[in-house]
Amino acid sequence: MKMNVNPIPTLDERINQIRDTTARIINNEILPNERALWALRRNGDASDSDRGRARELRLAVQAKVKQAGLWAPHLPPEYGGAGLSFLEHAYMNEVLAYCLGAASLFGVVAPNSGNQKILLKYGTEEQKKKWLVPLTEGKMQSGFSMTEPAQPGSDPRSIKTTARRDGDDWVLNGHKWFTSNGKRADFFIVMCRTEDPDGPSDGHGKMTQIIVPKDTPGVKVIRAVEVWGHDSDHCEIVYDDVRVPAENQLGRTGSGHAAAQERLGAGRVYHCMNSIGQMWRAFDLMVERATMREVHGGKLETKQFIQGFIADSYIDIQAARLMTIHCAEKMDGGGDPRTDISAIKVFVPAAYHRVVDRAIQVWGAAGISGDLPLAAMYQGARTLRLADGPDEVHRILIAKNVLKRYHAGESWDFGN
Ligand SMILES: Cc1cc2nc3c(=O)[nH]c(=O)nc-3n(C[C@H](O)[C@H](O)[C@H](O)COP(=O)(O)OP(=O)(O)OC[C@H]3O[C@@H](n4cnc5c(N)ncnc54)[C@H](O)[C@@H]3O)c2cc1C
């Protein structure tokens, strides 16, 4: 089934054009080759020739994306990107995410994309040349190393990894895990505490991000953590007296927490627009199956349970979509989006989870087979309720922001 993307009359022409071009590439180049592009086989492992063909196919699609001027939409042209505005990129993501994995063919791959944003904003010209440009050209890979096994990732102020100044160097010691891209990465951006971890601290002003090439002595990738019963590239890493030059520091000392929040803030909106694109795909699959499958003397679409799934999924998608667009517009307009970012971070992954769950139910056993993307989506949706801050933390933030207003004698601005 092809995705159906029509112009949205309230959007400017450029955004509609970007969405249209993206949809054409997805429909014509990616969906017909969805399995071959990632060398996915129905029976057994992919052969070397499957993998070789997959590489060739991916390069051909990437060339078309570049020709269409949509490569690396999150970066400015002077660093090899398409130079899309925040809103343009957000709207594009909804279309792009219709096919799982398509973003990588457009030069947007987490965690590289978040790291590119940090390098762009906090990096020196030298750092941009050395790390950002090769990342964008696909000549390097990177990881973002913040979460630690012994500390709660949902409270990043508790990080224990230290960086100590020694002459012209930083010396890092610590233990991280769930550093995505750990096996592939050429360098990590490591979140470190740059003060005595046991001293008094409010935490926020004590964090600094430092670039660590993976081949630096003392960087030990212990293992890739198995996720959902599969091999992954989310790695456990020990930094043991790792010495890097002081010029590898990103931004000023103590700016690490603010930089991480910025990275995550915009990233959460992009992730939510991605989730919405995937919800549309799950929805299309669900409705398509409901109109074709005969059970107990009638098509699934005639059963009221299934009609309920269709209606509830439509409501979930539209609610998620409007909340996310509202948040993106607020960010674009320079408003304070923090409460809305937390709201979409709670609502959208849960809605995505519900929609995919219903689509799987309608498809029966096929829903969890490797023949459809639904099982992968289901795992992705569940994971999103943990990654980038678990639901509970965002609920607490929403309540805190709202209550603060009322304690200051104001009510919430409902029009905002
Ligand atoms: C697939 C995947 C990829 C990831 N990639 C990266 C990466 O590249 N780099 C990186 O640094 N990290 C990464 N992470 C880690 C991720 O950011 C953390 O898992 C997340 O921040 C939660 O931290 P935690 O796992 O330590 O859970 P904890 O902080 O231990 O929290 C556990 C649970 O406690 C509950 N909880 C927490 N706080 C409160 C509260 N105040 N009140 C009530 N309940 C609460 C929540 O239910 C939460 O799920 C990744 C995680 C996943 C799953």
Side-chain angles (χ1 to χ4, degrees):
M1 175 175 281
K2 285 193 171 188
M3 137 175 63
N4 190 13
V5 175
N6 287 311
I8 302 172
T10 49
L11 289 183
D12 72 37
E13 205 184 315
R14 186 172 139 91
I15 299 186
N16 277 320
Q17 239 168 33
I18 290 167
R19 285 165 62 86
D20 183 60
T21 309
T22 307
R24 260 191 293 118
I25 295 175
I26 300 278
N27 278 333
N28 299 339
E29 315 294 336
I30 301 183
L31 281 175
N33 296 312
E34 205 172 11
R35 298 188 69 82
L37 272 161
W38 288 281
L40 297 173
R41 294 282 308 270
R42 284 203 167 82
N43 304 303
D45 291 335
S47 65
D48 282 349
S49 86
D50 289 333
R51 277 189 286 269
R53 181 168 140 67
R55 251 191 313 276
E56 272 172 33
L57 279 170
R58 285 200 301 269
L59 284 174
V61 177
Q62 286 172 357
K64 291 213 162 122
V65 169
K66 285 176 186 168
Q67 209 177 13
L70 289 175
W71 180 255
H74 56 304
L75 295 176
E78 60 270 30
Y79 292 104
L84 266 53
S85 73
F86 173 71
L87 214 52
E88 286 165 350
H89 184 192
Y91 272 107
M92 176 188 174
N93 265 10
E94 179 187 15
V95 179
L96 189 57
Y98 191 80
C99 178
L100 272 181
S104 68
L105 303 172
F106 283 68
V108 189
V109 192
N112 291 339
S113 44
N115 288 345
Q116 285 165 323
K117 287 291 220 187
I118 297 184
L119 283 160
L120 191 65
K121 170 132 193 214
Y122 290 87
T124 59
E125 275 316 305
E126 203 47 45
Q127 288 170 337
K128 286 178 190 165
K129 232 189 280 165
K130 192 165 174 187
W131 310 106
L132 173 60
V133 173
L135 262 187
T136 311
E137 289 172 346
K139 292 181 182 154
M140 270 193 180
Q141 295 289 325
S142 67
F144 184 71
S145 207
M146 179 157 90
T147 306
E148 303 179 355
Q151 307 301 325
S154 47
D155 182 6
R157 290 170 305 181
S158 63
I159 280 170
K160 293 280 191 222
T161 296
T162 55
R164 172 177 55 80
R165 263 313 271 270
D166 184 23
D168 288 338
D169 295 332
W170 280 112
V171 180
L172 279 70
N173 278 287
H175 186 183
K176 304 284 190 182
W177 80 336
F178 273 92
T179 297
S180 302
N181 243 7
K183 286 188 278 190
R184 257 175 304 197
D186 298 285
F187 69 92
F188 301 112
I189 295 180
V190 186
M191 186 77 126
C192 304
R193 179 174 288 276
T194 35
E195 280 209 354
D196 175 7
D198 300 320
S201 151
D202 73 345
H204 284 157
K206 316 291 179 187
M207 305 298 168
T208 304
Q209 296 187 359
I210 297 174
I211 302 169
V212 176
K214 191 163 84 181
D215 58 6
T216 312
V219 177
K220 299 172 187 162
V221 178
I222 305 292
R223 62 174 176 140
V225 181
E226 197 179 283
V227 171
W228 290 106
H230 298 293
D231 289 345
S232 83
D233 200 2
H234 307 299
C235 289
E236 182 173 348
I237 302 174
V238 166
Y239 297 91
D240 183 9
D241 271 335
V242 173
R243 184 175 285 272
V244 293
E247 69 239 28
N248 281 24
Q249 175 177 329
L250 260 171
R252 62 172 176 76
T253 311
S255 67
H257 182 77
Q261 287 312 306
E262 255 178 69
R263 176 188 194 276
L264 292 171
R268 284 172 184 136
V269 176
Y270 295 143
H271 277 314
C272 285
M273 286 306 267
N274 278 339
S275 298
I276 292 157
Q278 283 158 28
M279 281 192 243
W280 283 127
R281 178 77 182 278
F283 186 76
D284 276 351
L285 284 167
M286 174 171 64
V287 179
E288 184 191 26
R289 184 66 164 182
T291 59
M292 288 162 58
R293 186 72 156 180
E294 293 262 357
V295 296
H296 292 281
K299 293 262 171 63
L300 278 175
E301 66 177 320
T302 64
K303 317 286 178 192
Q304 284 188 345
F305 273 122
I306 306 301
Q307 290 171 358
F309 284 176
I310 293 171
D312 288 345
S313 298
Y314 184 80
I315 293 166
D316 268 336
I317 298 172
Q318 290 294 12
R321 186 171 191 276
L322 291 177
M323 272 175 87
T324 308
I325 288 170
H326 167 72
C327 180
E329 282 174 349
K330 200 184 254 190
M331 273 178 97
D332 208 48
D336 179 355
R338 283 173 297 181
T339 309
D340 298 279
I341 289 178
S342 286
I344 60 171
K345 179 62 188 68
V346 174
F347 186 80
V348 178
Y352 176 24
H353 197 195
R354 288 192 294 270
V355 170
V356 177
D357 186 63
R358 294 182 197 116
I360 287 175
Q361 196 69 13
V362 167
W363 274 87
I368 54 167
S369 74
D371 292 357
L372 294 172
L374 294 171
M377 287 180 177
Y378 187 84
Q379 293 176 351
R382 185 64 190 86
T383 303
L384 282 175
R385 293 183 49 208
L386 294 169
D388 284 0
D391 292 355
E392 292 74 12
V393 171
H394 286 286
R395 284 196 159 91
I396 290 166
L397 282 170
I398 295 167
K400 203 166 126 190
N401 291 345
V402 171
L403 289 169
K404 203 162 126 194
R405 288 282 288 257
Y406 284 78
H407 280 296
E410 295 170 51
S411 61
W412 195 254
D413 176 358
F414 295 121
N416 189 3

